[in-house]
Amino acid sequence: MTERIPQTPSTSRRNLLFGAATVSAGAFLTACTSNENNASAGTGKQQAGGVDDKPGKKVTIGFAGPQADHGWLNAINQNAKERAKQYEDVTLEITEGSNDTAQQIGQIETLINKKVDVLVILPADGKALTQVGLKAMRAGIPVVNLDRVFASQQAYRCWVGGDNYGMGLNAGHYIGEQLKDKKNAKVVELAGIDNLELTRQRTQGFDDALKNYPNIKKVGRQAAEFTVESGQAKMAGLLQAHPDFDALWNHDDDQGVGAERAIEQAGRDGFLMVGGAGSRKVMDTIKAGNSVLKATVLYPPTMSASAIDLARALGQGKGVSGMAELEIPASITLYSAVVTKDNVDDYLPTGFN
């Protein structure tokens, strides 16, 4: 067995909540780092070797994402760059990034014209960029679609991303377990942008989880805009409308900075707060234990590092060791682990600024 790429704690530990396995794309791809050939189950044939971390066929990966105007998006770019540096055989061609659909399409077309070996694309708008994904695939360039999914599966070879429904589900279960013995418990929700499907998925998961706890009722919800300013304004409204509640779930740690300000200004406590995404600031606060903020549900930006692993495997024509199939999967959904004071040290290295 060859040496494996070191895995971060978030991809190597088991989540403490309900004993569920914390499985991310990074953990799944641990198998990619082995060059050992494994016999396929029941066939007597040798499986194709997986990708190891020793230099192999040189691969040029084009990376195109939206503008890094949010802590999570900046972490996406940084994780991709740092992962690519680990491989001597990888050259990373990264675009400036743009939230303008036409501009991002132009950036991707430039990478196609450069004839990169593989593309990793986090589209500003998955539907709007589907055609350029199709163009790359038709040009013989495999596409790893990161997080925001294209409208057609023909536009990508592999998708890797987070689980928005799972975020809500795990936030709801964590809050439910904390309040399961409290009679007539009340919770409120500070959501993200309501016209985004991801926001609706997070709310649906949260509501579905709460159905398991008949003693808990969601009494209020406000939609913010993933910004500090909107988080503060909308949280102030929730606090004014609900003088008494037991738990708050906030969809996004960036807007949570504003929510915390509103809570402090109102002098409120006596409830627990759960964040979303996994910022370093929130993890530090959880570790300190001196705030209403008790947990955050991950939406790991390490997915971009896993996308680089997948792109390298595609470029080198490798599969995943430890699996019977000869090819990498068509999709990988990351697990939304719940970070609490009990396990925060494991996840601190993945926290983003």
Side-chain angles (χ1 to χ4, degrees):
M1 180 72 71
T2 59
E3 182 181 354
R4 297 191 171 200
I5 301 169
Q7 299 294 304
T8 61
S10 69
T11 62
S12 63
R13 306 288 181 115
R14 291 181 63 83
N15 185 35
L16 301 182
L17 182 62
F18 308 123
T22 307
V23 182
S24 73
F28 180 82
L29 286 169
T30 301
C32 278
T33 64
S34 170
N35 198 33
E36 183 179 50
N37 288 335
N38 298 314
S40 296
T43 65
K45 297 180 180 180
Q46 293 295 311
Q47 184 182 358
V51 177
D52 63 27
D53 54 346
K54 294 179 180 179
K57 176 185 175 183
K58 293 188 180 299
V59 178
T60 299
I61 300 172
F63 184 95
Q67 183 179 346
D69 55 1
H70 184 279
W72 185 86
L73 286 170
N74 183 62
I76 282 285
N77 288 343
Q78 292 304 313
N79 274 282
K81 291 176 183 177
E82 291 169 10
R83 193 62 152 194
K85 288 178 182 177
Q86 293 186 14
Y87 298 118
E88 293 181 21
D89 50 21
V90 169
T91 298
L92 187 67
E93 292 271 357
I94 190 165
T95 66
E96 184 178 346
S98 176
N99 292 329
D100 181 82
T101 298
Q103 188 173 2
Q104 192 180 20
I105 289 172
Q107 292 170 344
I108 295 167
E109 288 180 335
T110 297
L111 292 171
I112 293 172
N113 292 334
K114 286 184 175 181
K115 300 186 186 303
V116 296
D117 297 303
V118 189
L119 272 168
V120 175
I121 303 174
L122 199 168
D125 183 321
K127 183 178 181 180
L129 268 76
T130 298
Q131 288 303 314
V132 78
L134 286 166
K135 182 176 181 179
M137 292 287 287
R138 288 166 180 162
I141 302 173
V143 174
V144 178
N145 182 194
L146 184 59
D147 198 45
R148 299 172 188 171
V149 67
F150 291 133
S152 170
Q153 193 168 335
Q154 297 183 72
Y156 60 90
R157 165 58 183 83
C158 177
W159 175 86
V160 56
D163 185 358
N164 288 294
Y165 179 84
M167 281 185 75
L169 195 69
N170 289 349
H173 277 303
Y174 174 79
I175 288 173
E177 289 299 298
Q178 307 310 304
L179 301 179
K180 64 183 180 181
D181 296 325
K182 183 175 179 60
K183 188 176 180 180
N184 299 323
K186 302 174 184 176
V187 301
V188 295
E189 179 183 9
L190 185 63
I193 301 171
D194 252 347
N195 64 359
L196 296 179
E197 179 65 19
L198 67 90
T199 297
R200 294 192 287 269
Q201 290 172 346
R202 292 178 187 185
T203 291
Q204 187 63 58
F206 187 62
D207 290 346
D208 286 351
L210 292 183
K211 291 175 184 176
N212 294 286
Y213 305 93
N215 63 307
I216 300 174
K217 182 179 180 181
K218 187 168 78 171
V219 296
R221 182 184 185 276
Q222 284 282 342
E225 298 174 1
F226 295 133
T227 65
V228 174
E229 295 75 18
S230 68
Q232 184 170 355
K234 297 298 184 177
M235 190 67 228
L238 275 174
L239 291 166
Q240 185 174 7
H242 304 281
D244 177 42
F245 57 85
D246 302 291
L248 157 70
W249 184 46
N250 162 54
H251 284 205
D252 177 73
D253 285 340
D254 273 20
Q255 72 184 24
V257 173
E260 288 182 87
R261 288 178 186 171
I263 292 165
E264 290 170 5
Q265 289 173 359
R268 294 280 293 272
D269 55 18
F271 62 90
L272 67 93
M273 175 178 175
V274 177
S279 76
R280 178 62 187 242
K281 178 185 181 300
V282 163
M283 291 190 194
D284 286 339
T285 301
I286 290 169
K287 184 171 183 177
N290 56 5
S291 163
V292 297
L293 189 52
K294 303 302 181 185
T296 187
V297 186
L298 297 187
Y299 198 81
T302 50
M303 67 176 69
S304 61
S306 295
I308 295 298
D309 288 340
L310 288 163
R312 179 173 178 258
L314 284 168
Q316 294 181 339
K318 298 290 185 177
V320 178
S321 289
M323 293 187 68
E325 292 74 25
L326 300 178
E327 302 285 348
I328 68 168
S331 66
I332 300 172
T333 303
L334 281 71
Y335 183 75
S336 296
V338 178
V339 179
T340 68
K341 192 171 184 179
D342 291 335
N343 62 3
V344 66
D345 285 335
D346 292 342
Y347 294 95
L348 276 171
T350 70
F352 60 87
N353 294 318

